[in-house]
Amino acid sequence: MTQVKPKLLLHICCAPDEAYAVDSIRDKYELHCFFCNPNVFPLDEHKLRLDEAKKTARIYDVPFTWDEYDYHSWAEAVKDLTDTPEGGDRCRECFLLRLTRTAETCAAMGWPAFGTVMSVSPHKNVSMLNEAGMKAAANWGVSYVPFDFKKNDGFKKSVALGKQLGLYRQNYCGCELSRDEANKRVSRESNAKKQLF
Ligand code: SF4
């Protein structure tokens, strides 16, 4: 007898993390992927990440929908926190914004639960992520499933799988501030290398 799998709306931030997470849990859940990232800047980068995420859903034959791009909603959510570093309070608000939209969509679909693939990244604080997920779930009367995909070398495996499938992997988290921070890191590293020669 075929076992009925529980339905899970899976929030997607990018294709390589989507591939690894979907590959890891598709035997246990009936999945529907939901791309919701109003934080990503600029629009061309959002389009690229969305197109790659759609491609990944096609590879795994998982239904996929996405949220309209609304960078203004992200800017409004973090407007008093722009001087906080990556991993701090602005990320807390960013997680809450994206997971609230996911919880709302989950409730509108009549699905019981949602989760997110964001914990694949070693740069994401899982407690902060889960706190945001639980809060969003409570506000919309659905459940949040707290995965930690970075466990058991999840990030390394997602990098390898992304390469194998030919997926684009970004070099900054998503917002304008994280792009500037990444550019500064690269320039510092390149200056340090120059000093070695
Ligand atoms: S660094 Fe990433 S998680 Fe933090 S606010 Fe920017 S896009 Fe959101």
Side-chain angles (χ1 to χ4, degrees):
M1 201 171 68
T2 323
Q3 217 185 343
V4 179
K5 295 190 266 188
K7 292 176 192 285
L8 184 83
L9 183 68
L10 190 61
H11 167 261
I12 304 301
C13 58
C14 68
D17 292 359
E18 174 185 3
Y20 176 69
V22 167
D23 201 42
S24 307
I25 61 171
R26 64 185 161 145
D27 288 345
K28 292 195 189 117
Y29 294 95
E30 178 185 337
L31 295 172
H32 185 118
C33 291
F34 179 60
F35 183 95
C36 172
N37 302 292
N39 53 317
V40 176
F41 184 89
L43 177 61
D44 284 353
E45 177 73 17
H46 184 272
K47 187 178 179 319
L48 177 57
R49 294 189 196 189
L50 174 57
D51 287 347
E52 291 290 292
K54 285 181 188 169
K55 183 167 97 185
T56 304
R58 280 197 299 273
I59 293 171
Y60 287 97
D61 197 22
V62 175
F64 181 98
T65 47
W66 63 96
D67 210 12
E68 289 307 311
Y69 182 58
D70 180 11
Y71 194 69
H72 176 73
S73 66
W74 176 85
E76 188 58 29
V78 305
K79 68 176 189 296
D80 297 325
L81 301 165
T82 51
D83 57 351
T84 59
E86 186 166 338
D89 286 344
R90 83 166 194 262
C91 299
R92 184 192 311 279
E93 293 305 316
C94 180
F95 295 158
L96 186 59
L97 175 69
R98 289 186 275 170
L99 295 181
T100 296
R101 285 289 298 136
T102 308
E104 186 181 355
T105 304
C106 185
M109 288 168 66
W111 277 36
F114 71 96
T116 176
V117 306
M118 286 194 277
S119 65
V120 172
S121 164
H123 303 294
K124 300 280 187 301
N125 177 325
V126 175
S127 317
M128 189 187 274
L129 198 53
N130 289 340
E131 207 178 282
M134 302 298 264
K135 194 169 171 184
N139 286 339
W140 283 94
V142 290
S143 300
Y144 171 72
V145 182
F147 297 103
D148 188 354
F149 289 112
K150 72 170 75 54
K151 276 186 177 163
N152 305 318
D153 278 338
F155 178 66
K156 260 196 201 164
K157 288 175 187 164
S158 110
V159 170
L161 185 58
K163 273 191 190 153
Q164 188 191 318
L165 298 174
L167 301 173
Y168 165 71
R169 179 178 282 281
Q170 64 279 353
N171 60 4
Y172 64 101
C173 184
C175 63
E176 203 172 352
L177 301 167
S178 65
R179 186 185 63 169
D180 294 347
E181 284 156 0
N183 286 342
K184 278 185 201 148
R185 264 196 310 273
V186 169
S187 132
R188 271 198 306 273
E189 281 162 19
S190 127
N191 285 340
K193 267 187 198 153
K194 276 183 203 152
Q195 284 165 14
L196 290 175
F197 292 99

